[in-house]
Amino acid sequence: MAAITAQDVNKLRAMTGAGMMDCKKALVEAEGDFEAARDILRKQGQKIADKRSDNATSEGLVLASVSEDGTNGKLVALACETEPVSKVADFRNLVQQILDSAVKTNAATKEDLLAASQEDGRSLQDHITDLMGKIGEKLDVVAYANMTAEKVASYIHSDGKKGVLVGLKNVNGADVETVGRDVAMQIVAMKPVAVDKDGVDSATVEREIEIGKEQARAEGKPEAMLEKIAQGKLNKFYKENTLLNQEFVKDNSVTIAQLLDKTSKGMTVTDFKRVAIGA
């Protein structure tokens, strides 16, 4: 059996980022073959991924990046099982690596992003699996967004677990940094389901109408009035749950639509992506 030296262990640690004892065990099992040892460590990560596949991931970190010209934004969210893991350097560095890879490749989907080749020739998913083997927790890219618009604004909440990208149009040269951030913060706080009522899916509309009818019926309203009452409740739902119709949290005398129009005539939101880990 090949003698395993401290130098060998340190070399494998530098190659893989795995712990000292894990590297030593892998080298012993591989009889000093570094490539075989790397494979052993990767398999260890896969075993942990398989074993913990059903575990909840309610902690993690969200990061975002907006291009220099402000027309494209990327948002990534990597979730883990416990808060201490979300604070360690290896985890946070991996989230940054995921975001950097998204910017570099301009991946259209999460699947494309996870398959993206890294500097060592392996996929991003391989790197995630490797870290699972090192820390012993499930890690999951729970969200990825790639948004293009006339202008894109981003916001990451102070807890690092909530983030938003928001696309704006009809900016007309206005400085959108402040209003973009305000709208993004509104999305984090108020959780709109769509930009406006046209973006609400038909199943949600039908459900809200039925709920409105049942509430009115329970209040003893005549059957002939139920549809009208339900439509009124649906309009209230739109006001409370669609972004442009919501009252601005910093000034409830204006809606988000009015806030944007005051900033630049005709400015509006084209799209948004809200991510919240553990919520």
Side-chain angles (χ1 to χ4, degrees), residues 92-141:
R92 301 179 84 83
N93 289 341
L94 179 59
V95 186
Q96 186 63 55
Q97 180 183 344
I98 294 169
L99 180 62
D100 291 344
S101 187
V103 171
K104 181 180 179 180
T105 64
N106 195 30
T109 67
K110 183 174 81 170
E111 290 71 26
D112 291 340
L113 177 60
L114 293 177
S117 179
Q118 303 301 288
E119 288 185 3
D120 61 1
R122 297 187 302 131
S123 72
L124 189 56
Q125 181 61 66
D126 287 338
H127 283 252
I128 294 170
T129 301
D130 285 354
L131 189 58
M132 281 193 260
K134 181 178 180 180
I135 66 176
E137 278 196 13
K138 176 182 175 181
L139 305 179
D140 186 17
V141 177

Side-chain angles (χ1 to χ4, degrees), residues 1 43 67 121 149 162 202 204 248 267 277:
M1 180 180 293
K43 290 175 182 176
S67 62
K162 304 179 190 72
S202 58
T204 299
F248 181 33
M267 187 193 298
I277 295 175

Side-chain angles (χ1 to χ4, degrees), residues 15 17 36 52 82 110 123 128 151 155 159 170 176 222 243 271:
M15 291 168 65
R52 305 180 76 89
T82 63
K110 183 174 81 170
S123 72
I128 294 170
K151 287 295 179 182
Y155 171 72
D159 63 3
N170 299 330
V176 300
L243 176 63
D271 194 10

Side-chain angles (χ1 to χ4, degrees), residues 1-272:
M1 180 180 293
I4 306 303
T5 67
Q7 185 177 1
D8 292 333
V9 173
N10 286 332
K11 180 180 177 181
L12 185 60
R13 287 189 72 192
M15 291 168 65
T16 65
M20 183 181 296
M21 291 308 297
D22 287 335
C23 287
K24 184 175 181 180
K25 288 177 183 177
L27 281 167
V28 169
E29 185 177 340
E31 298 183 350
D33 185 321
F34 280 89
E35 286 305 312
R38 290 180 72 171
D39 287 341
I40 289 167
L41 290 171
R42 291 170 192 162
K43 290 175 182 176
Q44 178 177 310
Q46 190 58 56
K47 285 179 182 177
I48 288 173
D50 293 342
K51 182 179 179 181
R52 305 180 76 89
S53 62
D54 293 332
N55 287 27
T57 50
S58 58
E59 299 293 337
L61 182 64
V62 180
L63 292 180
S65 174
V66 175
S67 62
E68 193 170 329
D69 65 2
T71 64
N72 181 266
K74 306 287 196 303
L75 182 149
V76 299
L78 183 65
C80 57
E81 297 178 35
T82 63
E83 185 178 9
V85 163
S86 73
K87 306 296 184 185
V88 300
D90 283 346
F91 178 86
R92 301 179 84 83
N93 289 341
L94 179 59
V95 186
Q96 186 63 55
Q97 180 183 344
I98 294 169
L99 180 62
D100 291 344
S101 187
V103 171
K104 181 180 179 180
T105 64
N106 195 30
T109 67
K110 183 174 81 170
E111 290 71 26
D112 291 340
L113 177 60
L114 293 177
S117 179
Q118 303 301 288
E119 288 185 3
D120 61 1
R122 297 187 302 131
S123 72
L124 189 56
Q125 181 61 66
D126 287 338
H127 283 252
I128 294 170
T129 301
D130 285 354
L131 189 58
M132 281 193 260
K134 181 178 180 180
I135 66 176
E137 278 196 13
K138 176 182 175 181
L139 305 179
D140 186 17
V141 177
V142 293
Y144 170 60
N146 182 347
M147 181 181 293
T148 298
E150 185 180 329
K151 287 295 179 182
V152 177
S154 68
Y155 171 72
I156 302 297
H157 195 56
S158 58
D159 63 3
K161 293 168 62 177
K162 304 179 190 72
V164 164
L165 290 179
V166 56
L168 301 167
K169 74 172 183 178
N170 299 330
V171 173
N172 299 319
D175 180 3
V176 300
E177 183 175 348
T178 299
V179 72
R181 179 179 172 85
D182 280 343
V183 173
M185 291 175 68
Q186 172 91 15
I187 294 166
V188 166
M190 301 306 293
K191 306 177 185 178
V193 300
V195 172
D196 56 26
K197 67 178 185 179
D198 293 335
V200 180
D201 65 89
S202 58
T204 299
V205 172
E206 291 171 9
R207 185 179 69 246
E208 290 301 318
I209 289 174
E210 287 306 311
I211 290 172
K213 287 181 179 179
E214 287 301 319
Q215 289 175 339
R217 190 174 287 116
E219 294 168 1
K221 305 296 184 183
E223 285 291 322
M225 293 181 62
L226 296 187
E227 183 67 32
K228 183 177 180 180
I229 293 171
Q231 286 296 328
K233 290 181 180 292
L234 179 62
N235 288 333
K236 183 181 179 182
F237 172 85
Y238 288 145
K239 181 178 179 180
E240 294 176 348
N241 295 280
T242 60
L243 176 63
L244 294 177
N245 296 299
Q246 285 180 338
E247 294 177 351
F248 181 33
V249 291
K250 289 186 176 181
D251 178 4
N252 60 18
S253 69
V254 296
T255 65
I256 293 298
Q258 291 166 340
L259 171 71
L260 291 169
D261 192 63
K262 283 172 61 177
T263 303
S264 177
K265 190 67 177 177
M267 187 193 298
T268 190
V269 172
T270 56
D271 194 10
F272 69 84

